Amino acid sequence: MALSGPQKTVMQTVSVVVLMGGLAWASVPFYDWFCRVTGFGGTPGQVSEGSADVLDQTVKVRFDGSLNDGMPWEFKPVVREMEVRIGETGLAFYEAYNPTDHAVAGQASYNVTPYTAGPFFEKIDCFCFTEQVLAPGERVQMPVSFFVDPEMVEDRDGKFVHTITLSYTFYEIDLPEGYAALDQDSATTTN
């Protein structure tokens, strides 16, 4: 069965719309993967262990913390900056506090600046790898362990980086099922 001109045009238009929708849906995970692999846009890498090489050169690492609109927590770095040797594993802490009367879940997004440092800033372990849930009035210190890859000193742009800023932004997410039930239980017992 051959399609007439208007039917063919409608089918082609629908096909293009479906294709574009599929590409838009796939673009977010692909872009996230691309940034993690290449360090594009200041996205730090994730590794399972520290560097075997530690240089005598140092780099200053600054820490920044912010909250997305509507996130009720308080969130800040415990120490604003530290100096580490390139290749040396550093350990920093961020403090989060939930001043509300109910549990709040959050997830942190992150990046480093300048962007040229992104491919060389490696995280070994980080609170940002998982969602965080704070009970009412709970205050926690959350660690991040990291190092700056020694290959940075050989990079044509990286060799000029002397200060790196690691930034986190926490945004609120839905409570996981187990926590949501506990939050509902505490709300019914107080009423």
Side-chain angles (χ1 to χ4, degrees):
M1 173 172 103
L3 297 175
S4 68
Q7 290 173 329
K8 188 175 181 180
T9 302
V10 168
M11 288 302 293
Q12 289 174 337
T13 303
V14 168
S15 296
V16 167
V17 168
V18 168
L19 176 67
M20 296 303 284
L23 290 174
W25 176 80
S27 67
V28 172
F30 178 75
Y31 182 75
D32 183 55
W33 169 82
F34 175 78
C35 289
R36 289 179 193 276
V37 169
T38 64
F40 181 77
T43 303
Q46 297 176 12
V47 295
S48 58
E49 59 186 39
S51 173
D53 297 324
V54 177
L55 307 180
D56 288 333
Q57 292 173 263
T58 62
V59 64
K60 187 181 296 182
V61 180
R62 293 184 177 152
F63 304 99
D64 178 52
S66 63
L67 298 168
N68 195 26
D69 288 344
M71 179 57 154
W73 289 359
E74 294 173 14
F75 175 66
K76 64 181 180 183
V78 173
V79 174
R80 294 269 174 209
E81 70 180 40
M82 67 174 56
E83 193 160 328
V84 294
R85 293 180 6 207
I86 295 177
E88 173 184 29
T89 298
L91 178 63
F93 290 89
Y94 280 75
E95 183 176 276
Y97 171 63
N98 177 6
T100 70
D101 61 354
H102 58 278
V104 177
Q107 180 73 51
S109 61
Y110 52 89
N111 73 340
V112 297
T113 54
Y115 290 156
T116 55
F120 306 105
F121 196 91
E122 303 287 352
K123 291 184 183 180
I124 301 166
D125 194 21
C126 182
F127 61 88
C128 60
F129 294 164
T130 59
E131 59 192 24
Q132 304 295 317
V133 179
L134 296 184
E138 183 177 11
R139 182 180 306 271
V140 296
Q141 287 195 355
M142 302 175 292
V144 54
S145 58
F146 63 91
F147 68 92
V148 177
D149 191 322
E151 289 184 17
M152 185 173 83
V153 300
E154 302 298 326
D155 183 73
R156 76 183 163 115
D157 295 322
K159 64 184 173 185
F160 298 109
V161 174
H162 302 291
T163 302
I164 299 172
T165 302
L166 174 60
S167 297
Y168 290 97
T169 300
F170 252 108
Y171 55 94
E172 188 171 1
I173 60 173
D174 292 335
L175 281 172
E177 282 188 37
Y179 288 98
L182 289 175
D183 203 35
Q184 288 173 351
D185 289 346
S186 68
T188 57
T189 58
T190 57
N191 290 335

